Amino acid sequence: MLDSVRISLKLLNAAQLATVAAAAFGLAWFGGALSGPPRDAATAHPALARNLVQAARSYADALDEELSASINDARNAALLLRLDDATLSDAWRAGRLRDWLALNPRYRDAALLAPDGALRAAGGPGGLRVDRSPARNAQVAVAAGPEEAPFALTLALGAPGRSDRLLLRAAPAYFDGIAERVRRTLGAGDGIRFAVAGADGRALVGPLPAADDPLPHEAAPTRGSRDIASPGWLVTASAPGLPLRPEPRPDPRLIALGIGLVLAAGGLGYALGGRVSARLRRLAEEAGTADDGEGPVSRVREIAAIAGTVRDRAQSLDARLAGAGTGLDRVRGRLHTFEEMSGWTCWEIDPETRQVVWSDPDGAGALAAADRVATLADLGARFEPADRPLLDLTLAAALGADGPHDVVMRMSGPGPESGRRLLVRLLRGRDAAGRIRVHALSRTIREGDAAETPAGANERRRNLVLRRVTDGIVHDFNDVLTVVLANLGVLRRQTGLDPRQTALTDAALAGAQRGAALTRRLLGLVRGGEIGGDPVPAELSSSDLAATVAAFLPFLEANVLHDAPLITRIPEDLPKAACGERLVELVLLNLAFHVRDLGLHGFAIGAAEHPAGAPPVPGMPEGPALRVLFASGRRPPGIAARSQVHALETVGRLLSGSGGGWRVLSDGCGEEAFLAEAWLRAEARNAEARTVEASAVGAGRAEPRREAIAGPVPQASLRILLVESDSLVRASLVEALAELGHRVVQAASGEHALELLARDAAFDAMIADQAMPVMTGLQLAATVVERHPGIRVILASPHGQLPAAARRFLQLDKPFRREDLAAVLAARAA
């Protein structure tokens, strides 16, 4: 609306000069008006009065935050009492309350009250009166207390008025830290003092100033929080040590002089503004030639159009980043749902600081729940002393090698918790900043549970309910990563990004691709691995060799090979390997250790396709395969070898167990460089993929997929039906498809898509999400190919979640980049 308001330049210039003259006169007036009789301090020091208002408001807000924190403290204390366990006595709970008060000196007393107000358990020094009246119909209540306990907080542990209550009484030191924190924030030192009055007007903290006190003082009420209404307290900020200033004596002659100066300045500004506006008008009327040569155009309007374009791009950037943040909040809520439904608790351990972080279970229903932090020593204290070294050994093993590491620990402590067994599974990973973290899953092993043995643990991981929950989490997480990759990919190609914005966008893209690798590892962790005798699900027994190697190389460079040169020559158009990603990573890890321990210079990896019709090689698997070549440079002079060929033997066993082949041409232990060849069974290319590749090669492109990803390959504009139930993902894909030059029609469900096709079936392709409610993407695809065979179907789903019946369609693994989307559409066009 402000863009449509027009102000005359003459009036604006007059107003500016008049304002400057008025400000200068005001400074001169107040600068010379320092003598005279005293007046009240608030009038003499208006700046300080404003500071006092800010100080009172800041103290009231800080007090609201402390009350909200006290509610969380009361909930944590209630968890320690274990009210759901009828075998525990009230004397045991009283001991727990005393231990809790020793760790929280801000509270003087704590008590557990029955619904009728009877005292069940108490902690603290005692001697305080307990309100035995029935509980009011409120979840949380705050009331003022005696001098030794300024206020009391009551939390209903169930239905208000019909459940037990937890009573916390604050110590006088509760308010000490609030005042110091506010003074430090405002930089006011000890010159400002605070007082708090209760709803009945009684002072809870500090002396209350009188109403006619001439010294400056300001008051602000508390507002409460989302958990509790305002208790009606009033915060007063005062400055008792402030000297008073004299009151200036107004002089009518000076006032007349000031008014004259302001009017004269305004008139001068009006005159000067008229001359400047005349020149600007002539400049605006001068016309230049438009870029398209159609006619003259005003330079001023051309600049205004460019400024509007820049503003629209900035608003688009903010909207896309806000959408990505909303999607990440949704993923966090899904992870909390996973914990609740699966029975596993998720932890994160920092091996450097030995701190353990987990989500607050009280905030599991919120999108932005708070995190809890404890030390590893505190966590270990909850287990039996004889089992604590096992936790350290398992943590060290997880840091030293990939793959999950399990350990069973026995809980210690009073009550039924003693002797309870806990299964802990540790897995090494990295955070968004590239720092090493250990992720842990833990759950209780109950009597008769099949998970008490290793075979039972594998059976538990294959539980159908847990698998469905995990698949849903992976799907939602990959949807969010698809939104991030699509939006950032569009932004990356827009002009006008400075180097810093470009670097931040590239870092976000790299982090999203690392998140995609983590989702695949999560599936492997929950469904079982291919090493150690566990069968692999059919949909997880294939992998993209180029993508797997590219995702694993940063780990090898940072942790194994360090500064050694690393070369990869793997075409991106190879068929998928008929083995899981974990097998490829273990082969790479063993070979990297072999090269490093022998002191060989550099590590090179290359691959090529061995088609199904090619002559077989003795000792190698028949049929379609991938030939992977591993090599290194020679050992520099003066470096001794530290390893034998054990790693090579391990690689041979891994490949033979998966149906592959292994041949060592030179182990590198002598003077020759290391050279070996691995054969991985490959999935057969379908007829459509071979046709697409042949057409691309016939057009003079030796690597069609690499060229489609690396550069802007001209494509015909397609009319695409996009079927996606998630509105955020759908909007992001529309942006990416529009940037590729395609026309998109959107559908929010399979039924909606069929209605659109019934009215107009003139579509070149359909992209459908597999995990849609009511009608899945595969069910929709089967209906579409029967009714509209001319429409090519592309199914989008996380890797490993499409059934075998979906292999007849083009597939798009989530999360996908803009380049992957362009490649699959190019395949459809071919």
Side-chain angles (χ1 to χ4, degrees):
M1 180 178 179
L2 293 179
D3 294 339
S4 63
V5 177
R6 295 189 178 185
I7 302 176
S8 173
L9 182 59
K10 296 184 288 185
L11 293 178
L12 179 61
N13 197 32
Q16 288 177 343
L17 285 181
T19 303
V20 171
F25 179 76
L27 291 176
W29 169 268
F30 288 106
L34 297 179
S35 61
R39 54 178 175 165
D40 66 284
T43 307
H45 302 279
L48 180 60
R50 291 192 298 270
N51 291 339
L52 289 179
V53 172
Q54 182 180 1
R57 182 70 268 158
S58 299
Y59 191 99
D61 292 342
L63 185 55
D64 289 334
E65 293 177 2
E66 290 295 328
L67 289 177
S68 180
S70 296
I71 295 174
N72 291 331
D73 292 339
R75 290 171 176 166
N76 291 334
L79 292 177
L80 294 175
L81 299 180
R82 299 175 60 182
L83 297 177
D84 55 343
D85 194 343
T87 61
L88 300 177
S89 64
D90 288 340
W92 180 85
R93 294 187 174 93
R96 281 296 180 94
L97 283 178
R98 287 191 295 271
D99 294 340
W100 185 84
L101 287 173
L103 297 175
N104 296 269
R106 300 194 309 162
Y107 304 98
R108 184 181 184 275
D109 200 3
L112 178 64
L113 306 179
D116 60 351
L119 180 64
R120 293 184 58 184
L128 294 180
R129 182 179 62 84
V130 176
D131 182 13
R132 300 180 64 86
S133 61
R136 288 179 291 177
N137 189 21
Q139 186 72 29
V140 182
V142 177
E147 182 177 355
E148 61 271 18
F151 77 93
L153 183 144
T154 305
L155 172 67
L157 304 181
R162 300 191 301 272
S163 63
D164 294 339
R165 294 178 294 164
L166 185 64
L167 176 65
L168 297 181
R169 289 191 173 95
Y174 186 89
F175 297 88
D176 295 343
I178 302 177
E180 292 299 327
R181 190 165 64 251
V182 172
R183 292 192 192 102
R184 185 169 56 253
T185 301
L186 299 177
D190 296 332
I192 298 179
R193 298 183 182 177
F194 299 94
V196 181
D200 56 355
R202 183 170 54 86
L204 301 181
V205 175
L208 298 175
D212 57 348
D213 192 347
L215 294 176
H217 60 274
E218 297 292 339
T222 57
R223 299 175 181 174
S225 62
R226 64 182 179 88
D227 295 323
I228 185 174
S230 174
W233 295 353
L234 190 67
V235 176
T236 303
S238 60
L242 180 70
L244 300 181
R245 290 186 179 180
E247 181 179 8
R249 296 185 180 93
D251 190 340
R253 293 176 298 177
L254 292 178
I255 294 177
L257 177 62
I259 294 175
L261 288 175
V262 172
L263 292 177
L268 179 62
Y270 188 84
L272 295 177
R275 297 184 62 183
V276 175
S277 62
R279 294 185 178 182
L280 290 177
R281 188 179 297 108
R282 287 196 301 269
L283 178 62
E285 291 174 354
E286 292 179 358
T289 302
D291 295 337
D292 53 6
E294 294 182 355
V297 63
S298 172
R299 297 298 184 188
V300 175
R301 295 186 179 181
E302 183 179 359
I303 294 174
I306 295 174
T309 302
V310 173
R311 182 178 64 252
D312 293 342
R313 287 185 177 180
Q315 293 175 353
S316 177
L317 172 63
D318 294 339
R320 288 170 181 166
L321 292 179
T326 302
L328 291 176
D329 287 340
R330 292 171 52 197
V331 171
R332 186 167 186 171
R334 293 287 188 179
L335 290 177
H336 288 302
T337 304
F338 165 74
E339 290 185 348
E340 293 292 334
M341 298 183 65
S342 65
W344 290 88
T345 301
C346 300
W347 309 78
E348 182 178 304
I349 303 174
D350 187 344
E352 295 183 359
T353 62
R354 298 185 69 82
Q355 285 187 335
V356 184
V357 181
W358 71 97
S359 298
D360 183 6
D362 292 332
L367 291 180
D371 288 339
R372 297 285 181 177
V373 181
T375 63
L376 192 59
D378 294 337
L379 180 64
R382 301 180 59 185
F383 302 119
E384 292 289 343
D387 293 345
R388 295 170 191 171
L390 295 176
L391 181 61
D392 294 334
L393 291 175
T394 308
L395 179 60
L399 289 172
D402 288 340
H405 298 263
D406 293 352
V407 62
V408 177
M409 310 290 292
R410 294 173 299 172
M411 302 292 291
S412 63
E417 186 179 83
S418 178
R420 187 166 57 118
R421 293 193 296 167
L422 198 70
L423 174 63
V424 182
R425 178 167 294 124
L426 304 177
L427 180 66
R428 181 181 62 182
R430 290 180 179 271
D431 60 9
R435 295 168 296 193
I436 295 179
R437 293 290 185 269
V438 175
H439 303 282
L441 296 175
S442 64
R443 70 175 182 86
T444 302
I445 299 178
R446 299 177 179 87
E447 292 297 331
D449 195 345
E452 294 182 4
T453 63
N458 294 333
E459 176 117 9
R460 176 70 175 178
R461 290 199 303 268
R462 295 187 183 92
N463 183 274
L464 180 61
V465 176
L466 178 58
R467 173 173 172 173
R468 289 178 177 175
V469 172
T470 306
D471 287 350
I473 293 173
V474 170
H475 179 271
D476 288 344
F477 193 76
N478 282 329
D479 275 351
V480 172
L481 291 176
T482 301
V483 172
V484 174
L485 287 172
N487 288 335
L488 291 180
V490 173
L491 285 177
R492 183 66 178 83
R493 288 159 185 84
Q494 288 184 352
T495 59
L497 294 180
D498 56 35
R500 182 175 180 272
Q501 292 173 335
T502 301
L504 291 175
T505 305
D506 291 340
L509 285 170
Q513 292 173 6
R514 183 173 295 174
L518 289 177
T519 58
R520 295 193 298 268
R521 291 172 184 262
L522 177 62
L523 280 178
L525 174 65
V526 175
R527 296 189 179 185
E530 61 202 348
I531 307 301
D534 288 341
V536 184
E539 61 270 21
L540 291 181
S541 60
S542 64
S543 59
D544 187 332
L545 182 62
T548 303
V549 173
F552 196 64
L553 285 184
F555 170 81
L556 294 181
E557 290 178 327
N559 298 276
V560 182
L561 298 176
H562 300 294
D563 297 331
L566 186 60
I567 302 174
T568 58
R569 293 292 185 270
I570 302 179
E572 296 186 1
D573 59 338
L574 293 176
K576 288 187 176 181
C579 62
E581 293 180 349
R582 189 178 175 191
L583 174 66
V584 177
E585 292 174 352
L586 286 175
V587 169
L588 291 175
L589 185 63
N590 280 277
L591 295 180
F593 275 119
H594 179 73
V595 170
R596 185 199 66 179
D597 293 341
L598 287 177
L600 301 174
H601 180 70
F603 188 39
I605 307 170
E609 179 184 3
H610 184 78
V617 177
M620 297 301 166
E622 298 182 358
L626 299 180
R627 302 179 60 179
V628 187
L629 186 66
F630 303 96
S632 71
R634 296 184 179 181
R635 185 183 305 108
I639 297 180
R642 295 183 300 161
S643 172
Q644 301 297 326
V645 293
H646 303 297
L648 303 182
E649 297 175 356
T650 302
V651 171
R653 289 195 297 269
L654 292 174
L655 293 174
S656 62
S658 64
W662 176 243
R663 180 168 56 185
V664 178
L665 304 178
S666 175
D667 58 14
C669 296
E671 306 213 352
E672 296 294 328
F674 168 67
L675 182 62
E677 185 181 29
W679 284 59
L680 300 175
R681 290 187 300 109
E683 293 185 349
R685 293 181 182 268
N686 53 33
E688 177 182 1
R690 288 193 295 268
T691 302
V692 171
E693 181 182 354
S695 62
V697 174
R701 291 180 281 131
E703 295 181 6
R705 181 180 175 189
R706 178 183 298 275
E707 188 176 49
I709 294 175
V713 177
Q715 296 182 11
S717 177
L718 304 178
R719 190 166 186 258
I720 299 174
L721 177 60
L722 176 62
V723 190
E724 171 62 62
S725 59
D726 192 307
S727 60
L728 186 62
V729 179
R730 192 168 63 246
S732 302
L733 292 183
V734 168
E735 289 285 343
L737 290 169
E739 191 198 18
L740 290 172
H742 304 300
R743 295 162 296 161
V744 184
V745 176
Q746 304 178 45
S749 64
E751 182 179 0
H752 186 196
L754 293 177
E755 292 177 359
L756 293 176
L757 289 172
R759 294 195 297 265
D760 182 9
F763 291 96
D764 299 304
M766 181 184 73
I767 301 176
D769 180 34
Q770 166 64 11
M772 292 189 298
V774 183
M775 179 183 292
T776 65
L778 184 57
Q779 294 171 340
L780 174 63
T783 305
V784 170
V785 296
E786 180 181 357
R787 299 180 183 178
H788 312 284
I791 299 177
R792 300 303 306 275
V793 178
I794 303 170
L795 291 179
S797 177
H799 177 67
Q801 290 194 9
L802 279 176
R807 295 179 181 177
R808 58 178 294 194
F809 304 106
L810 290 173
Q811 298 180 15
L812 189 61
D813 288 344
K814 286 187 176 181
F816 48 83
R817 303 165 299 169
R818 173 186 177 277
E819 292 82 359
D820 302 328
L821 190 60
V824 73
L825 290 175
R828 181 262 165 268

